[in-house]
Amino acid sequence: MNPRLKNIRIKLAQERLDGLLLSSPANISYLINYQSRDSFLVITKDKEIYITDSRYTEEARLYLKGGIIIKKIDGSVFKTIAEVLGDLNLKRTGFEERYLPFADYRKIRDNLKRDMELIPVYGLVEVLRQIKDAEEISKIKKGLNITFKALHFIQDFIKPGKKEIEIAAEIERFIRYNGASGAAFEIIVASGPNSAFPHHITSQRKIKENEPVLIDMGVDYSGYKTDLTRTFFLGKINTLFKKVYRIVSHAQERALRLIKPGVALSRLDLSARQYITQKGYGGFFGHNLGHGVGLETHEAPQISGKETAKAMPGMVFTVEPGIYIPGRFGIRIEDMVLVTRKGVELLSGTFNK
C-alpha cells in the first residue's frame, strides 16, 4: 500500500471519520503522486476515488496507479461529490476547511442525505508533508540546481539601464529552457529603494549604477518548489550597505548553527531576530525567519517565534533574515536547508553570497 495513504488512513481512524474529501491540489498530489488540478479526492478505509472532469480523465487513467477509481464529473461537480459520498455510505466525511469555500460546502451539503455529515478538519495531510522522503528531496535538489544556474546566468545580464521586468523575464525564459516547468512564484526583482519592499512587485523601473538588486526566485520542478533570495550590487558598494549585509549574513549563520533534530523552530527565529535587534535594526526585520518548502512554496512548518513544532529529519525550510530600510535599500539572504539525522544540510550552500 502507498505509505502516504496508509498514514492518512491512520489519521481518519483517530478522527473517527468514515472518509475524507480533499480539495487542495497540493494535498491530493502528495497522496496519489500525481500533479492534480481542478479535481477532488475521496479517501475511505479501503478506497480512493479521484473526481475530475473531461479535461483530465484520460490523463488520470494514464498516470494514476494503485487501483484509484476515476469518477468523471457529470453535470454539477457538487452533485457528483455528493453522489460519491452517498454511494459509499459515508456518515462522517471530513473536508479541508482551509481549502473548500463555504459556498461550495453548502452546495455539497444540500445534495447529501440527512444522516450524512461533513466535518471540518485542518492540517491532516500538511503535517505529513512536512517530512520529505528521498524522492521528494531529490526533486527539490534538482530544482535547486536549475535555480543556481539561473542566478549565475543572470549576473551578467544585470546592468544599469535594464528594467526589473526584463531581468525577471530572462530568468523565466532560462529556467524553462533548463528543465523547470516554470517559476515557483512571481519572480521578485527589486532594485534600489524598491528592495526595501520585502515582496515588491517587479516593475518597469530601470536599474541604476551604485545600487542593490534583490532577486527572490524559485522554480517548479516536477511539482516541487525552490525559493532563494540573493542581493547583488552594481558599482561601488557603500559603507552602510556593507554593514547591513554583514549583520544579515551573521544573523543567518547564527540560526543555521542551531539547526538539528529536536530544536524548537521558534528558537531559530529568536536567535536571528535578537542578533539583528542587538545591532540596532530590529525594527527593520518584520517577517518570519522562514517557512517550509515542497509542493507549495510556503507550507508548514513556519520558522517563527510562534511556531510550536521542533525540527525533525526530513524537514525542508528556508532561513531568510532581512533588513529593510525605507527609502534606501533592503537586504535579504534566503537559503533552503534539510534537517538530517545528524544536523542540517545547507541545500543551497554558499552560492552567490
Side-chain angles (χ1 to χ4, degrees), residues 235-266:
K236 186 177 180 180
I237 303 176
N238 63 54
T239 302
L240 179 60
F241 184 90
K242 287 181 180 179
K243 175 186 175 183
V244 173
Y245 191 95
R246 281 196 296 268
I247 293 170
V248 174
S249 180
H250 290 161
Q252 188 195 50
E253 289 170 4
R254 286 167 67 93
L256 291 173
R257 285 197 295 267
L258 292 174
I259 301 174
K260 61 181 180 181
V263 70
L265 295 175
S266 59

Side-chain angles (χ1 to χ4, degrees), residues 20-63:
L20 178 64
L21 171 64
L22 294 153
S23 51
S24 159
N27 287 342
I28 296 172
S29 298
Y30 173 78
L31 290 173
I32 62 177
N33 199 25
Y34 164 72
Q35 292 187 48
S36 177
R37 293 96 71 205
D38 299 330
S39 302
F40 294 82
L41 179 68
V42 174
I43 298 175
T44 71
K45 295 175 182 178
D46 57 3
K47 291 184 177 67
E48 304 91 38
I49 300 91
Y50 188 70
I51 303 171
T52 192
D53 61 44
S54 59
R55 294 172 296 170
Y56 307 112
T57 48
E58 290 305 313
E59 179 185 300
R61 287 192 183 100
L62 181 63
Y63 291 107

Side-chain angles (χ1 to χ4, degrees), residues 46-179:
D46 57 3
K47 291 184 177 67
E48 304 91 38
I49 300 91
Y50 188 70
I51 303 171
T52 192
D53 61 44
S54 59
R55 294 172 296 170
Y56 307 112
T57 48
E58 290 305 313
E59 179 185 300
R61 287 192 183 100
L62 181 63
Y63 291 107
L64 285 179
K65 309 297 181 184
I68 298 174
I69 299 167
I70 299 170
K71 175 68 174 179
K72 183 179 177 180
I73 296 169
D74 182 15
S76 165
V77 61
F78 309 112
K79 286 184 179 180
T80 302
I81 292 171
E83 287 171 4
V84 169
L85 301 182
D87 290 344
L88 294 167
N89 196 30
L90 303 180
K91 302 300 183 184
R92 286 173 51 85
T93 302
F95 72 93
E96 298 179 293
E97 62 177 352
R98 182 180 177 187
Y99 302 108
L100 187 69
F102 182 67
D104 294 355
Y105 158 82
R106 288 186 62 181
K107 290 177 182 177
I108 297 170
R109 171 66 266 182
D110 289 346
N111 284 281
L112 288 177
K113 299 173 185 176
R114 290 186 178 182
D115 61 344
M116 298 175 66
E117 293 182 88
L118 288 177
I119 311 297
V121 296
Y122 184 89
L124 293 188
V125 182
E126 288 88 338
V127 70
L128 300 177
R129 285 171 45 200
Q130 290 187 50
I131 309 301
K132 272 61 177 180
D133 61 26
E135 181 183 357
E136 292 178 292
I137 292 168
S138 175
K139 290 178 180 178
I140 289 170
K141 286 183 175 180
K142 288 177 181 178
L144 279 169
N145 283 334
I146 299 171
T147 310
F148 299 154
K149 290 178 182 178
L151 285 168
H152 181 75
F153 159 79
I154 207 63
Q155 289 180 88
D156 294 332
F157 191 83
I158 303 173
K159 296 177 181 178
K162 293 287 187 182
K163 296 178 182 179
E164 293 175 353
I165 198 73
E166 290 180 89
I167 295 170
E170 281 298 308
I171 293 173
E172 180 84 35
R173 180 190 65 81
F174 182 91
I175 62 177
R176 287 180 179 270
Y177 271 110
N178 282 271

